[in-house]
Amino acid sequence: MRIDVLGVGFDNVTMGEAVDRAMELMHQPGAHVVVTPNPEIVEVCRQDPAAREAVNSADLVLPDGIGVIKGAAMLGTPLKEKTPGIEFAGYLMERMAGEGLSLYLLGAKPGVAEQAAEKLAAQYPGLKIAGTHDGYFKEDGPIVEAIASSGADCVFVCLGAPKQELWMRKNGPATGTRLLCGLGGSLDVFAGVVERAPKFWSDHGLEWFYRLCKEPKRIGRMMKLPLFLVHVKQEKKKK
């Protein structure tokens, strides 16, 4: 059962349950999609029907960030816990490494995916890197063909929202992979280009504030968080 938060249906799972489910999907025929919406993406989905459809049609919809958790609780339909995409990816790679599965990295600026691949291969012995490509491409065809020929079991699609969600919905089956995960700026973190918030900040739901301090230019995007809470309060009044 999914929990509706402003039109986006989130799977009510713990991190462990999310990773278990993703591994199950990776062993089933067909292309399966995991998305990790935060309040900013929920706001995009409220305005963009195509984005909303792409997110809600995913096989696994995980709440990335404390904002969605607070929103769900305010609406009287609490979610078990936040499942940040980057942490989900880490646990998933650990499990994949244990089975010798392969991963394709798509996204970020030129050179970043390759840096991430080197670090991840060292961090998760047994994980096979099937290939990499930056996010600066104009035609989907060559990328889809590259992934298909790589034989990757899983693809991390890090193109930013809602581009990555729309891309996975459109191209997933043609890639031949069994699991595609939309993970925003995760490759920058895996490559060491961007520093993730220290544990204290993330544990207290302040990761967004840490990132804002580091990147003040994000203020425009961050303004969607208070807007999200306003819309949650409006929705609560209707109930």
Side-chain angles (χ1 to χ4, degrees), residues 1-235:
M1 190 186 83
R2 286 186 168 174
I3 302 294
D4 185 281
V5 180
L6 301 182
V8 173
F10 289 88
D11 287 288
N12 192 17
V13 292
T14 63
M15 179 65 81
E17 290 168 344
V19 177
D20 285 345
R21 180 59 182 147
M23 289 300 295
E24 287 174 10
L25 293 170
M26 213 182 305
H27 288 290
Q28 293 174 7
H32 307 95
V33 173
V34 180
V35 295
T36 58
N38 58 17
E40 181 187 341
I41 299 174
V42 173
E43 283 298 312
V44 169
C45 289
R46 290 184 75 254
Q47 303 295 326
D48 185 340
R52 185 168 62 248
E53 173 64 24
V55 167
N56 284 333
S57 66
D59 298 270
L60 200 51
V61 183
L62 305 177
D64 185 305
I66 195 67
V68 174
I69 300 300
K70 286 187 179 296
M74 288 167 65
L75 292 169
T77 51
L79 288 157
K80 290 179 180 178
E81 63 181 25
K82 67 173 181 174
T83 51
I86 195 157
E87 292 178 20
F88 164 80
Y91 290 120
L92 184 64
M93 287 187 286
E94 200 172 289
R95 294 278 295 275
M96 289 177 65
E99 296 186 24
L101 298 174
S102 59
L103 175 67
Y104 194 102
L105 304 176
L106 173 63
K109 293 179 180 178
V112 173
E114 286 86 347
Q115 279 180 256
E118 284 183 27
K119 289 181 179 289
L120 294 175
Q123 188 175 353
Y124 301 98
L127 178 68
K128 298 173 184 173
I129 303 298
T132 65
H133 199 286
D134 63 69
Y136 291 72
F137 56 88
K138 293 183 179 179
E139 298 293 328
D140 292 345
I143 308 299
V144 172
E145 288 176 17
I147 295 171
S149 62
S150 77
D153 297 298
C154 177
V155 184
F156 286 175
V157 183
C158 303
L159 304 175
K163 183 178 180 180
Q164 63 196 15
E165 287 77 15
L166 295 169
W167 194 93
M168 292 187 293
R169 180 163 171 75
K170 176 185 175 186
N171 297 297
T175 64
T177 190
R178 293 190 293 277
L179 191 72
L180 302 97
C181 306
L183 295 169
S186 296
L187 290 186
D188 289 323
V189 178
F190 292 143
V193 175
V194 171
E195 181 188 358
R196 194 175 177 218
K199 190 172 185 300
F200 173 86
W201 293 72
S202 55
D203 284 352
H204 289 79
L206 293 170
E207 193 164 3
W208 64 272
F209 186 63
Y210 180 87
R211 291 193 68 185
L212 181 58
C213 292
K214 290 282 187 178
E215 303 175 67
K217 64 182 180 181
R218 293 175 63 89
I219 186 67
R221 292 174 61 180
M222 291 299 184
M223 289 309 293
K224 282 195 169 70
L225 179 55
L227 183 62
F228 167 81
L229 293 174
V230 167
H231 289 144
V232 167
K233 288 179 180 177
Q234 290 174 345
E235 185 66 24

